[in-house]
Amino acid sequence: MAMYPTQRLRRLRYNPLVRDIVRETELSKNDLIYPLFVCPGMNVKKEVNSMPGVYQLSIDNLVKECKEVRDLGIPAVILFGIPEHKDEEGSEAYDPNGIIQRAIRAIKSEVKELLVITDVCLCEYTSHGHCGLLDGENILNDETVSLLAKEAVSHAESGADIIAPSDMMDGRVLAIRKALDYKGFSHIPIMSYAVKYASGYYGPFRDAAESTPAFGDRRSHQMDIANSDEAIREAESDIDEGADIIMVKPAGAYLDIIYRVKHELSMPTAAYQVSGEYSMIKAAGKLDWIDEQRVMMESLTSIKRAGADMILTYFAKDAAKLLK
Ligand code: PBG
Ligand code: ZN
């Protein structure tokens, strides 16, 4: 590389049009996936305390919201359910008339050209708030995996376009792939939450989804925040089991992991900018301590620059409006 004064890196920064043509990373609406929370009832739109601008929506309002999301040019939503009844086995998760199953059918019949991704886990549906069946305080792996496969099939039967298991049990991608194939859904992709850390950033989500564990935490299945090589092993094992898209979660504090997963494994890579990341930017913005819009776009562009092909974010609508 030439040296100063031959080289002057500022040369490409004086003129905004020059800056535009040399920009390396461009966020696009096509990168965005919008998370939505669906709850029982009619005409419900209940703001989540710790997530301003995020709501629990009944199915009628969910359908309206999905139309707006599609009209903004966002290609996909991911659905989380708040069931009518919770029990030890999380049975509404795989009930053909469960909240998510009904929500998928409603969206699919009324909103065209929108991908419906579904989160597959039990924690929103179990009375104890854990991601699987319990034996005392221990989460049973293989018994849980069978229920997750049932849940995934019931989502596909209701019309889901992509299945996204978020539980972090071992072997669940293989079990879900086999169950989907057996039921005639071999064309339905799996977006695996392959690299999901046991993170403090999920706090506000547990308010939104009413899924806080009744005791203990999720450290027996979600990853230790300090580990990076293990992320590659997690992703590789899910790829071997048939995952089509690999997700890293959270995003902002794990850009190094997104970078490694994308560049070492060359898979379609998703990153989840989680509830805590959203709420921190919102809160500081509200206090006028930061410029919310600017930090929002900076955070999303950084996640893309690190290697994410798609970003799950509660800012999807706000970002899409700016990208218009
Ligand atoms: C369910 C699930 C969680 C999130 C996505 N799917 C919560 C958790 O693992 O406790 C978190 C998303 C967010 O914080 O925005 N397993
Ligand atoms: Zn869970």
Side-chain angles (χ1 to χ4, degrees):
M1 193 173 111
M3 272 171 55
Y4 172 85
T6 312
Q7 172 69 281
R8 287 179 180 269
L9 289 164
R10 289 187 63 200
R11 248 180 235 130
L12 298 178
R13 296 181 195 142
Y14 292 108
N15 182 333
L17 294 174
V18 173
R19 289 202 296 270
D20 283 351
I21 61 167
V22 300
R23 180 166 301 128
E24 297 173 45
T25 304
E26 200 96 53
L27 189 67
S28 131
K29 291 196 241 187
N30 263 329
D31 305 327
L32 303 171
I33 300 171
Y34 190 46
L36 287 168
F37 299 95
V38 55
C39 67
M42 272 290 281
N43 202 22
V44 182
K45 181 173 180 179
K46 187 171 167 240
E47 191 165 39
V48 179
N49 256 331
S50 50
M51 299 180 78
V54 173
Y55 301 85
Q56 296 181 348
L57 300 170
S58 51
I59 292 176
D60 50 330
N61 281 333
L62 178 79
V63 168
K64 281 189 207 153
E65 182 74 0
C66 284
K67 287 182 181 158
E68 198 182 317
V69 168
R70 179 208 50 202
D71 291 344
L72 282 167
I74 297 165
V77 296
I78 180 163
L79 300 183
F80 298 94
I82 299 135
E84 196 104 44
H85 302 291
K86 303 194 184 208
D87 57 31
E88 300 261 299
E89 294 82 34
S91 47
E92 201 174 321
Y94 36 89
D95 179 338
N97 281 314
I99 183 77
I100 282 289
Q101 290 78 359
R102 283 183 287 129
I104 302 166
R105 289 196 291 268
I107 298 169
K108 280 289 142 189
S109 74
E110 295 192 52
V111 193
K112 304 293 162 216
E113 314 263 328
L114 181 73
L115 290 172
V116 175
I117 306 172
T118 56
D119 183 271
V120 169
C121 197
L122 295 184
C123 53
E124 295 131 67
Y125 306 93
T126 51
S127 42
H128 43 70
H130 281 287
C131 302
L133 291 177
L134 294 179
D135 175 21
E137 301 215 338
N138 178 32
I139 301 174
L140 296 166
N141 193 90
D142 299 7
E143 293 80 350
T144 298
V145 162
S146 319
L147 295 182
L148 295 167
K150 248 172 96 171
E151 182 181 1
V153 166
S154 89
H155 291 179
E157 283 171 343
S158 304
D161 297 297
I162 299 178
I163 300 296
S166 69
D167 53 283
M168 291 295 280
M169 296 298 116
D170 288 320
R172 90 270 207 223
V173 172
L174 181 65
I176 290 172
R177 184 72 272 157
K178 279 188 172 165
L180 288 173
D181 291 0
Y182 180 71
K183 295 282 187 174
F185 297 108
S186 60
H187 58 289
I188 297 290
I190 296 176
M191 173 191 281
S192 175
Y193 288 70
V195 181
K196 181 176 180 182
Y197 287 93
S199 168
Y201 286 95
Y202 307 150
F205 173 95
R206 293 178 188 170
D207 264 0
E210 301 178 6
S211 63
T212 308
F215 61 86
D217 54 40
R218 306 217 200 286
R219 288 190 171 90
S220 82
H221 48 295
Q222 298 180 347
M223 280 179 55
D224 185 326
I225 59 161
N227 296 352
S228 169
D229 287 341
E230 189 186 342
I232 301 302
R233 293 201 298 278
E234 273 289 359
E236 276 175 340
S237 78
D238 283 7
I239 295 164
D240 289 346
E241 291 178 31
D244 302 282
I245 300 170
I246 294 299
M247 192 198 298
V248 175
K249 176 184 171 197
Y254 298 83
L255 296 179
D256 57 323
I257 307 298
I258 297 172
Y259 183 88
R260 278 195 72 180
V261 165
K262 181 63 194 173
H263 292 92
E264 292 179 31
L265 303 172
S266 306
M267 288 288 289
T269 302
Y272 199 144
Q273 182 181 51
V274 300
S275 55
E277 301 178 68
Y278 172 84
S279 299
M280 283 173 11
I281 294 171
K282 276 279 172 190
K286 264 196 166 168
L287 287 166
D288 255 322
W289 287 357
I290 58 168
D291 176 340
E292 181 187 318
Q293 275 196 352
R294 188 170 166 189
V295 173
M296 164 182 82
M297 293 310 265
E298 185 172 337
S299 65
L300 294 170
T301 303
S302 298
I303 294 165
K304 181 152 189 201
R305 193 192 61 234
D309 300 297
M310 59 205 103
I311 306 172
L312 296 85
T313 174
Y314 303 96
F315 283 122
K317 283 170 64 186
D318 296 340
K321 285 173 194 161
L322 289 183
L323 292 168
K324 260 205 151 142

